Amino acid sequence: MSLDPLSETFAALADPTRRAILSRLALGETSVSELAKPFDISAPAISKHLKVLERAGLITRGREKQWRPCKIEPRALRGVDDWLERYRRLWEERLDRLDEYLRGLQAKEKKRGRKK
Amino acid sequence: MSLDPLSETFAALADPTRRAILSRLALGETSVSELAKPFDISAPAISKHLKVLERAGLITRGREKQWRPCKIEPRALRGVDDWLERYRRLWEERLDRLDEYLRGLQAKEKKRGRKK
């Protein structure tokens, strides 16, 4: 099944090992064997995860045969950020409304306090 | 397979129909039949997508038997936003570096222009 780019990105991120790989790569590029060290999974399994990340454009790999360093491509995450934008407004509006409601409650409390 | 909450959210978002459903629900709550209208897929298929979104906490559904309106829960997307935060810094840094590089080029061009 071929996914649209944004679905591909989300699918690639839907795995804790792949997110941990990205988190490691955010510190700098590194080799596959170095990447595999903290994980209790086989080298082929790591390679599979890297392929998924590479297909989604989230990482690139060097061309050298012996040393193919992996590098994060954070720009690929901008699609996710753009998509989030309109929803961010939604939850911020809700927080504003909650804030307004709480201020209303406080004002009422104050009034009641004065009446006592 | 039971996923961690963030993986569940990402997996739920890795589908264009589910993202379109969220986009519709961002306008306000609505019934399943209303939701299904613009999509060329069966009601059971829509229900399946809604279950995935509901399990990920991205929507909730009313309790009324006849009319179970779907409602978006944008707060569930904050996990994605928080996760993105550190990578956002990465791509912004890269843009800054690109900007610096371009300014450097421009300065060199100016110097060269003056020498001619």
Side-chain angles (χ1 to χ4, degrees):
Chain A
M1 193 176 61
S2 110
L3 293 173
D4 61 287
L6 193 53
S7 296
E8 192 126 52
T9 309
F10 279 128
L13 298 175
D15 182 279
T17 306
R18 288 197 291 270
R19 291 199 304 278
I21 289 174
L22 284 181
S23 169
R24 167 60 191 84
L25 292 177
L27 304 175
E29 60 179 48
T30 190
S31 68
V32 177
S33 56
E34 203 56 47
L35 258 183
K37 273 184 189 165
F39 301 106
D40 196 20
I41 52 178
S42 67
I46 286 283
S47 287
K48 219 171 153 186
H49 282 310
L50 292 177
K51 265 181 202 147
V52 176
L53 291 169
E54 202 176 4
R55 214 170 41 220
L58 289 161
I59 66 164
T60 49
R61 301 185 63 183
R63 294 272 173 109
E64 297 83 1
K65 265 199 177 162
Q66 295 301 319
W67 150 251
R68 297 193 57 200
C70 301
K71 204 176 128 191
I72 189 169
E73 295 296 340
R75 267 175 312 172
L77 291 169
R78 293 191 74 177
V80 174
D81 200 45
D82 291 344
W83 181 84
L84 264 187
E85 189 50 36
R86 62 179 299 190
Y87 299 97
R88 196 172 292 131
R89 241 169 280 151
L90 263 186
W91 79 65
E92 277 165 4
E93 267 169 38
R94 290 204 184 176
L95 284 178
D96 285 349
R97 258 182 281 154
L98 180 67
D99 199 49
E100 226 168 78
Y101 173 75
L102 292 175
R103 273 169 211 271
L105 275 186
Q106 275 183 329
K108 268 185 200 163
E109 283 293 318
K110 262 191 187 169
K111 259 190 181 173
R112 216 174 286 159
R114 258 183 241 138
K115 274 179 189 165
K116 268 176 193 167
Chain B
M1 192 178 62
S2 111
L3 293 173
D4 61 288
L6 193 52
S7 297
E8 191 126 55
T9 308
F10 279 128
L13 297 175
D15 182 280
T17 306
R18 287 198 289 271
R19 291 197 304 277
I21 290 174
L22 284 181
S23 168
R24 167 63 192 83
L25 292 177
L27 305 173
E29 61 179 46
T30 190
S31 68
V32 178
S33 55
E34 204 56 49
L35 258 184
K37 273 184 191 166
F39 301 105
D40 196 21
I41 51 176
S42 66
I46 286 283
S47 287
K48 220 171 151 187
H49 281 310
L50 292 176
K51 262 179 208 151
V52 176
L53 289 169
E54 202 176 4
R55 213 169 42 219
L58 288 161
I59 67 165
T60 49
R61 301 186 62 182
R63 295 275 173 110
E64 297 83 359
K65 264 202 179 159
Q66 295 299 318
W67 148 252
R68 297 194 58 201
C70 301
K71 205 177 127 190
I72 190 169
E73 296 295 342
R75 265 175 312 172
L77 291 169
R78 293 192 75 176
V80 174
D81 200 44
D82 291 344
W83 181 85
L84 264 186
E85 189 51 34
R86 63 179 295 193
Y87 300 96
R88 196 173 291 131
R89 243 170 278 150
L90 264 189
W91 79 66
E92 278 163 5
E93 267 169 37
R94 291 206 183 174
L95 285 178
D96 286 349
R97 257 181 282 154
L98 180 66
D99 200 47
E100 227 167 78
Y101 173 74
L102 292 175
R103 274 169 210 270
L105 275 187
Q106 274 183 330
K108 269 187 200 163
E109 282 294 317
K110 263 192 185 167
K111 259 192 185 171
R112 217 174 287 162
R114 258 183 243 139
K115 276 182 190 165
K116 270 179 193 165

